[in-house]
Amino acid sequence: AMFAPTIRGEEMFVGHYGVSFAIQPAARRVPLWVWFIAVQWLDVVWSVLVLLGVEKLRIIPGFTEANALDLYYMPYTHGLPGSIILSLGFGCLVAMFTTGARMRTALLIATASFSHWVLDLVVHTHDLPLYGNSAKVGFGLWQDVALSFPLELATLGLGAWLYARATRYATAKGRYVFWGFVALLAAIQVYANFGPPPSSPDAMAITALGLYAALALLAARVERGVVFALEPIPIVPGRRV
């Protein structure tokens, strides 16, 4: 099927959400779902540009152990200058709709967004351009899924733990719902690494956009329904939150 839904082949995926969990307590005015979009913002724009035929990829099963993506042309979203511009732009956009310390909010959102490029640098092959579509970099952990897969889960888990330490829950079940959400993210990463590859570049882009939207909505539901968001709580060794 031309557009059979699949998430296999996602770039570094749930590890990015670890950053959103970790940084959100520093700016509680901005809801968690916005941070979920921020850390995937480069890939949101990338997916749109793939659908428009501006940025390009090839689906090559076995291209790396972790996924089938040959990301040979993405200078606007994953080139270093473009990623900085997109991150700053999204930070300013979010700050326009928040109150209080807008400059701080803009910088934190931009940092979360740019963290996407930094984490991609660790796992990508040489496909992240430093300028234009040239001087491409990437440490290549995708070549060894035994390294990249645990790294994804560890990054997610650390960020979720930091978020949980700075959060009080509205109900007794809130803690379990939150960690259930984190477990769902981990399960999606399992499928992303070990499920079937995308059927086409367009299918990859459409599924990515749908997934980013769905997970942002779930994050909003989890935060609104079971989490009582407070100002950051000091982390005290041995203290349960």
Side-chain angles (χ1 to χ4, degrees):
M2 178 70 174
F3 294 106
T6 176
I7 57 173
R8 173 74 193 272
E10 285 283 0
E11 302 181 44
M12 187 176 195
F13 180 44
V14 301
H16 294 303
Y17 293 126
V19 175
S20 65
F21 282 130
I23 200 171
Q24 196 268 354
R28 289 289 199 187
R29 293 184 187 88
V30 181
L32 184 61
W33 69 267
V34 175
W35 295 101
F36 262 50
I37 294 176
V39 297
Q40 299 288 10
W41 180 240
L42 301 185
D43 273 3
V44 169
V45 180
W46 171 80
S47 298
V48 172
L49 293 186
V50 167
L51 291 173
L52 294 175
V54 176
E55 296 197 329
K56 304 177 187 298
L57 72 149
R58 288 183 284 257
I59 308 298
I60 304 176
F63 185 69
T64 69
E65 285 188 7
N67 63 56
L69 303 185
D70 178 11
L71 302 162
Y72 68 94
Y73 189 75
M74 48 180 190
Y76 306 111
T77 60
H78 286 70
L80 181 57
S83 65
I84 293 172
I85 292 170
L86 286 171
S87 297
L88 290 172
F90 190 68
C92 291
L93 179 65
V94 172
M96 287 173 57
F97 293 93
T98 58
T99 58
R102 289 183 171 176
M103 178 63 73
R104 183 172 183 270
T105 297
L107 290 176
L108 285 172
I109 290 287
T111 298
S113 180
F114 185 69
S115 75
H116 184 104
W117 193 90
V118 175
L119 291 179
D120 276 2
L121 176 66
V122 177
V123 295
H124 276 231
T125 58
H126 292 121
D127 54 31
L128 301 171
L130 294 180
Y131 57 89
N133 196 42
S134 305
K136 296 182 179 182
V137 295
F139 299 161
L141 259 64
W142 277 344
Q143 301 286 6
D144 190 344
V145 74
L147 295 176
S148 62
F149 176 65
L151 177 64
E152 292 269 8
L153 298 186
T155 306
L156 171 67
L158 176 60
W161 178 79
L162 291 171
Y163 180 88
R165 292 287 292 179
T167 299
R168 287 179 181 167
Y169 300 95
T171 66
K173 71 175 184 179
R175 182 191 310 276
Y176 302 104
V177 173
F178 171 72
W179 285 108
F181 179 49
V182 175
L184 172 64
L185 293 172
I188 292 173
Q189 185 63 47
V190 173
Y191 186 83
N193 277 136
F194 304 108
S199 57
S200 71
D202 281 0
M204 170 70 198
I206 290 171
T207 303
L209 287 173
L211 194 61
Y212 297 148
L215 291 177
L217 288 172
L218 275 176
R221 182 70 184 96
V222 168
E223 183 179 47
R224 188 173 303 166
V226 302
V227 173
F228 183 56
L230 302 171
E231 289 302 311
I233 301 169
I235 296 175
V236 178
R239 175 184 176 182
R240 294 191 64 189
V241 179

